[in-house]
Amino acid sequence: MEQKSPPTFRTSFHSFLTAINPIDTEGWPEMKWYGKIYELFKSPFMFMLIITIPVVDYDADRHKWNRPLNTLQCVTGPLFCAVATQGAFKSLSPHFPVWALILLIGIILAVVVFCTSKTEEYPKYHWAFAYAGFVVAVIWIYSIANEIVNLLQMFGVVFSISNAVLGLTLLAWGNSIGDLIADTVMAKQGFPRMGISACFGGPLFNLLLGIGIPFTIGCIKQGGVFKIEFTLLQVILVAFLTLSLLSSLIIIPLSKFYIGRAYGIYLIILYIAFLVTAVLTETGVIHANF
């Protein structure tokens, strides 16, 4: 029986270069010219994601274990998280910044991983890279979301648009377009219950945790009190949200949990009415004293 020879440095280095390549070289010849431009445009971003986020795929060969790449990610992942959360440049002492400590820990961890693993098979602790990848991916999402908010605020300053209007329109649409596509696809694939559940579960998650966690942190920082300015816009937001939930609670059971086209049209009209009312309120056309 023929035994496989251990991988050489050249094969390991070639595997590493293939893993960090952000361009789809196999599909490149079949791409249209605009597809190639898009592939080149996104390649720097994909490269940053590849070298910082570990990926564990149990359906792939060796669960996507790549010894040189995973060793590198032990350094780049924690260092990116420290920089993205703006904690890297704080100082533990006058001459020892946080990024130096993170870099030192990452190098030590990388040496341990490299010395306790093999190129041809994944180690027993490879599952830990999945959790590390999840954490780094969350930090990436956090960083991108912050930059999107900053861009929206810049547009607001340039075009004299308030943050509330930006949040009601561009930010809300950008935050929900992924759910819209995913829920629609699930419904078309024969899983309507899953799609409908996600329609309510996603916003509920954002409402409870997306508001609850920041407000809890804000209360802790401000000594247990977080003051909110109560305006007519908040009343409109709560009123339309209550109307939407109550109408769903009443109409869906009455229709024997059959959701037809008419109910969808009703929800669209309700959203348009809410958006127009909220924008008119924020621009001062509709006003009231509280």
Side-chain angles (χ1 to χ4, degrees), residues 104-136:
L104 180 61
I105 295 175
I107 292 175
I108 295 174
L109 185 61
V111 171
V112 172
V113 169
F114 188 82
C115 294
T116 59
S117 62
K118 297 179 181 179
T119 303
E120 62 273 12
E121 61 178 316
Y122 59 89
K124 294 181 179 180
Y125 51 80
H126 189 213
W127 57 269
F129 282 87
Y131 293 96
F134 174 77
V135 173
V136 179

Side-chain angles (χ1 to χ4, degrees), residues 35-243:
K36 294 181 179 179
I37 294 176
Y38 172 71
E39 194 74 14
L40 293 174
F41 174 77
K42 73 173 185 177
S43 59
F45 307 100
M46 292 300 299
F47 177 76
M48 292 298 297
L49 294 175
I50 291 171
I51 65 173
T52 55
I53 304 178
V55 177
V56 179
D57 186 0
Y58 289 103
D59 295 327
D61 182 35
R62 292 180 299 175
H63 299 176
K64 277 205 168 183
W65 165 254
N66 188 291
R67 188 186 184 193
L69 177 58
N70 288 123
T71 302
L72 176 64
Q73 290 167 340
C74 292
V75 179
T76 56
L79 198 58
F80 165 75
C81 293
V83 173
T85 55
Q86 301 179 354
F89 301 103
K90 296 181 180 179
S91 297
L92 299 174
S93 66
H95 303 288
F96 194 74
V98 173
W99 68 263
L101 176 63
I102 299 296
L103 180 61
L104 180 61
I105 295 175
I107 292 175
I108 295 174
L109 185 61
V111 171
V112 172
V113 169
F114 188 82
C115 294
T116 59
S117 62
K118 297 179 181 179
T119 303
E120 62 273 12
E121 61 178 316
Y122 59 89
K124 294 181 179 180
Y125 51 80
H126 189 213
W127 57 269
F129 282 87
Y131 293 96
F134 174 77
V135 173
V136 179
V138 169
I139 300 298
W140 265 108
I141 295 172
Y142 164 81
S143 304
I144 295 173
N146 280 340
E147 292 305 317
I148 291 175
V149 171
N150 292 334
L151 286 174
L152 290 177
Q153 289 179 340
M154 181 270 293
F155 281 114
V157 172
V158 172
F159 297 103
S160 300
I161 304 174
S162 67
N163 291 334
V165 174
L166 289 174
L168 290 170
T169 54
L170 297 179
L171 185 59
W173 298 336
N175 189 38
S176 303
I177 192 68
D179 293 339
L180 173 63
I181 295 174
D183 297 343
T184 304
V185 170
M186 293 303 300
K188 288 184 177 181
Q189 289 182 348
F191 303 99
R193 291 186 178 181
M194 187 181 298
I196 294 172
S197 299
C199 287
F200 290 94
L204 184 62
F205 177 85
N206 293 332
L207 189 63
L208 297 180
L209 295 185
I211 294 179
I213 294 176
F215 273 54
T216 301
I217 296 174
C219 290
I220 294 173
K221 289 183 177 180
Q222 300 186 19
V225 178
F226 192 89
K227 295 183 180 180
I228 303 176
E229 183 181 357
F230 186 71
T231 62
L232 178 61
L233 183 60
Q234 274 73 41
V235 176
I236 293 174
L237 291 173
V238 174
F240 273 93
L241 178 61
T242 304
L243 178 60

